[in-house]
């Protein structure tokens, strides 16, 4: 019976309230910055009929143990623990009334501290439902302090080209740690380090490293720090000290006899500025008619040949001394001078001529290519369009083939004359040597003579098969010449010539 009663009590105190919807409503996460304010919301969602709230207790969970922060009791009033008394209060005025209402017991933290970061429990004690609670996690952020400065009070450009830190950017005592990046036109390297402080904050230090040179003087470096989507920027200008860069000006190459008002000036780029200028001559001494005024060497009176020579200027600052020289020559008469406008005109004319020549060459090349393309296309089409012509004797030389058209009598006779003209006088052609390969070296003897084929047969462009072994050919009559030639008998063709 006792066990049955215990189960009934548990079901009454635990299950029934959940079914009726009694719960503590809170945020899961809250955050704030050190020194700011933050509200920790807590509301009791009651049932119908409502239960009686006996007490509300706020507690801080530290290393598994609970510490009271604030208590609200309908009979005893409100109480805040001493460590939070000046910074924690119930937000709703109904909690502090003589007859309080405890459905909303949200508390306010002011002047937030890093030590306030923890999990907080809002616990409701009710009757007869029992205790109901919920938890909120409070995160405390700390904005870092950013600082940027030159890494050393004096940065000196040396000839060793050693890389050195020139600027330092620090994001100090931030929670969480910030991120640093650099913006600079001058190339360099970046090294960063992160430190964890004893209070849980972080410090990040980033150095910009490069070789100090005269070119990097007065360059701007910008440090960009990002923290929780907040961006902070700071900049410094490099102050690089370097030796003087010296140049001697004033000699225009046209110092002639009796010219007046000539001078030389020593121009030096240095940081810090040069403190001393010294003039001297190589293999000689400065002429007596000169006046030295800081970095200017003035020549009094007209120009003479005594001014010729090599002049050297030494410029000195706290970093070092550098020199520059110029060789002065004196002419008897002034050199012809070309006006600046004339020089510009000549240069413009040369450029225009160059452009015109380039355009002309381009047009000529294009025309030549076009003609080549047309000629190659025309020759190819002509070659393809012209039929292949056969020589008159080609069809006869190849035995065993039948041709629809045979050469006429004149061509045939000319061909035979070309093949058999060994003892024939002019106008007949001389014999072929060596003889053609398709003709026998010794023709058949003409013992049996048979009348030759009539001219009508030849005119029909066809040959009939022979009914005998040999045929006697008679030479055609040629005007002014007997046929056959004197002393020549008729020639007998070998039978291999017939197809």
């Amino acid at each position: 019976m006792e066990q049955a009663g215990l189960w009934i009590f548990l079901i009454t105190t635990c299950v029934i309230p959940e079914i009726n919807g009694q719960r503590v409503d809170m945020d899961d996460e809250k955050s704030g910055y050190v020194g700011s304010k933050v509200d920790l919301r807590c509301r009791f969602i009651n049932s119908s009929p409502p239960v009686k709230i006996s007490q509300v207790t706020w507690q801080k969970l530290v290393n598994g143990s609970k510490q009271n922060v604030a208590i609200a009791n309908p009979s005893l009033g409100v109480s805040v623990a001493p460590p939070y008394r000046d910074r924690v209060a119930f937000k709703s005025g109904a909690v502090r009334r003589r007859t309080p209402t405890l459905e909303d017991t949200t508390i306010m933290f002011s002047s937030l501290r890093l030590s306030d970061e923890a999990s907080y429990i809002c616990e409701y004690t009710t009757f007869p439902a029992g205790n109901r609670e919920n938890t909120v996690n409070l995160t405390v952020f700390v904005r870092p302090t950013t600082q940027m400065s030159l890494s050393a009070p004096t940065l000196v450009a040396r000839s060793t080209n050693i890389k050195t830190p020139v600027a330092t950017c620090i994001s100090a005592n931030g929670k969480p740690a910030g991120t640093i990046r650099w913006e600079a036109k001058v190339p360099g390297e970046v090294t960063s380090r992160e430190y964890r402080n004893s209070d849980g904050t972080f410090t990040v230090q980033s150095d910009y490293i490069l070789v100090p040179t005269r070119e990097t003087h007065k360059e701007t470096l910008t440090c960009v720090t990002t923290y929780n989507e907040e961006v902070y920027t700071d900049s410094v200008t490099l102050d690089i000290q370097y030796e003087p860069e010296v140049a001697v000006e004033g000699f225009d190459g046209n110092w002639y006899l009796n010219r007046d008002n000539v001078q030389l000036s020593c121009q030096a780029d240095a940081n810090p500025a040069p403190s001393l200028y010294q003039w001297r001559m190589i293999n000689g001494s400065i002429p007596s008619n000169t006046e030295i005024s800081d970095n200017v060497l003035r020549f009094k009176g007209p120009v003479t040949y005594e001014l010729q020579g090599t002049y050297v200027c030494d410029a000195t600052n706290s970093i070092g001394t550098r020199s520059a020289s110029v060789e002065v020559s004196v002419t008897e008469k002034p050199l012809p001078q070309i006006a600046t406008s004339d020089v510009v005109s000549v240069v413009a004319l040369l450029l225009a001529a160059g452009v015109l020549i380039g355009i002309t060459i381009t047009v000529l090349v294009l025309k030549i290519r076009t003609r080549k393309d047309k000629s190659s296309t025309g020759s190819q089409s002509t070659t393809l369009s012209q039929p292949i012509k056969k020589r008159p004797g080609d069809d006869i030389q190849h035995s065993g083939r039948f041709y629809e058209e045979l050469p006429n009598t004149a061509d045939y006779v000319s061909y035979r004359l070309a093949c058999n003209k060994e003892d024939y006088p002019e106008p007949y052609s001389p014999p072929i040597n060596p003889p053609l390969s398709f003709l026998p070296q010794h023709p058949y003897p003409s013992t049996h003579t048979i009348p030759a084929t009539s001219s009508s047969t030849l005119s029909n462009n066809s040959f009939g098969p022979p009914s005998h072994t040999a045929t006697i050919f008679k030479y055609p009559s040629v005007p002014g010449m007997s046929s056959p030639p004197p002393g020549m008998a008729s020639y007998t063709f070998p039978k291999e010539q017939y197809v």
Side-chain angles (χ1 to χ4, degrees), residues 256-279:
Y256 51 89
L257 293 177
N258 299 323
R259 179 178 175 179
D260 294 326
N261 299 323
V262 293
Q263 65 180 24
L264 298 177
S265 63
C266 186
Q267 302 297 325
D269 177 20
N271 184 35
S275 57
L276 178 64
Y277 291 94
Q278 290 180 318
W279 288 94

Side-chain angles (χ1 to χ4, degrees), residues 176-225:
T179 59
I180 297 176
R181 63 182 178 87
W182 292 85
E183 293 180 354
K185 294 181 179 180
V186 56
E189 299 177 1
V190 176
T191 59
S192 298
R193 295 175 298 276
E194 183 178 302
Y195 307 95
R196 183 181 179 88
N197 303 317
S198 58
D199 58 356
T201 60
F202 297 88
T203 298
V204 180
Q205 177 178 336
S206 181
D207 297 325
Y208 201 82
I209 302 174
L210 52 76
V211 177
T213 61
R214 182 172 63 93
E215 291 73 20
T216 59
H217 179 54
K218 293 186 178 180
E219 288 288 342
T220 300
L221 302 179
T222 302
C223 170
V224 181
T225 303

Side-chain angles (χ1 to χ4, degrees), residues 14-290:
C14 299
V15 177
I16 294 177
E18 292 297 331
I19 295 175
N20 293 335
Q22 295 174 357
R23 60 187 177 87
V24 178
D25 186 23
M26 301 179 68
D27 296 320
D28 294 332
E29 301 283 344
K30 291 292 289 186
S31 63
Y33 287 92
V34 168
S36 64
K37 296 180 180 181
V38 66
D39 295 343
L40 302 184
R41 186 173 62 86
C42 182
R43 291 177 58 85
F44 184 75
I45 307 302
N46 213 333
S47 61
S48 182
V51 296
K52 181 180 179 180
I53 299 175
S54 302
Q55 182 172 293
V56 177
T57 305
W58 275 93
Q59 296 174 314
K60 179 181 180 181
L61 187 62
V62 180
N63 298 326
S65 62
K66 298 179 179 179
Q67 298 177 358
N68 288 339
V69 176
I71 299 173
N73 188 287
S75 303
L76 302 177
V78 174
S79 174
V80 180
Y84 308 97
R85 186 163 297 170
D86 298 333
R87 300 186 300 112
V88 174
F90 286 94
K91 186 176 183 179
S92 176
V95 178
R96 297 186 296 271
R97 294 174 185 171
R98 179 172 296 184
T99 304
T101 301
L102 302 181
E103 279 78 12
D104 185 356
T105 55
T106 300
I107 60 175
M108 299 183 299
F109 267 92
S110 60
S111 301
L112 203 60
R113 302 174 182 174
L114 269 175
S115 58
D116 294 335
E117 182 173 289
S119 296
Y120 290 86
I121 302 170
C122 181
E123 181 181 21
Y124 274 79
T125 302
T126 64
F127 181 84
N131 293 347
R132 295 288 178 268
E133 65 180 34
N134 204 346
T135 304
V136 60
N137 295 320
L138 175 61
T139 303
V140 179
F141 297 131
V142 182
R143 286 186 174 89
T145 57
T146 60
Q147 180 183 359
M148 188 177 182
S149 61
L150 296 174
S151 300
T154 302
L155 298 172
V156 180
R158 302 294 185 184
S159 58
T160 53
N161 293 331
I162 298 177
K163 295 181 179 180
T164 182
V166 295
T168 300
C169 185
I170 297 176
S171 175
N173 305 322
K175 183 177 176 296
T179 59
I180 297 176
R181 63 182 178 87
W182 292 85
E183 293 180 354
K185 294 181 179 180
V186 56
E189 299 177 1
V190 176
T191 59
S192 298
R193 295 175 298 276
E194 183 178 302
Y195 307 95
R196 183 181 179 88
N197 303 317
S198 58
D199 58 356
T201 60
F202 297 88
T203 298
V204 180
Q205 177 178 336
S206 181
D207 297 325
Y208 201 82
I209 302 174
L210 52 76
V211 177
T213 61
R214 182 172 63 93
E215 291 73 20
T216 59
H217 179 54
K218 293 186 178 180
E219 288 288 342
T220 300
L221 302 179
T222 302
C223 170
V224 181
T225 303
T226 304
Y227 173 80
N228 276 1
E229 299 182 356
E230 298 178 359
V231 179
Y232 308 91
T233 60
D234 197 1
S235 301
V236 294
T237 300
L238 296 181
D239 184 15
I240 310 296
Q241 296 184 356
Y242 52 91
E243 295 178 337
E245 291 287 333
V246 188
V248 178
E249 300 177 354
F251 179 67
D252 57 2
N254 192 23
W255 285 20
Y256 51 89
L257 293 177
N258 299 323
R259 179 178 175 179
D260 294 326
N261 299 323
V262 293
Q263 65 180 24
L264 298 177
S265 63
C266 186
Q267 302 297 325
D269 177 20
N271 184 35
S275 57
L276 178 64
Y277 291 94
Q278 290 180 318
W279 288 94
R280 56 190 173 89
M281 286 189 69
I282 297 178
N283 299 328
S285 58
I286 299 293
S288 58
N289 63 336
T290 58

Side-chain angles (χ1 to χ4, degrees), residues 304-318:
T304 62
Y305 285 119
E306 296 178 356
L307 303 186
Q308 294 185 130
T310 302
Y311 292 81
V312 179
C313 173
D314 302 323
T316 303
N317 67 352
S318 60

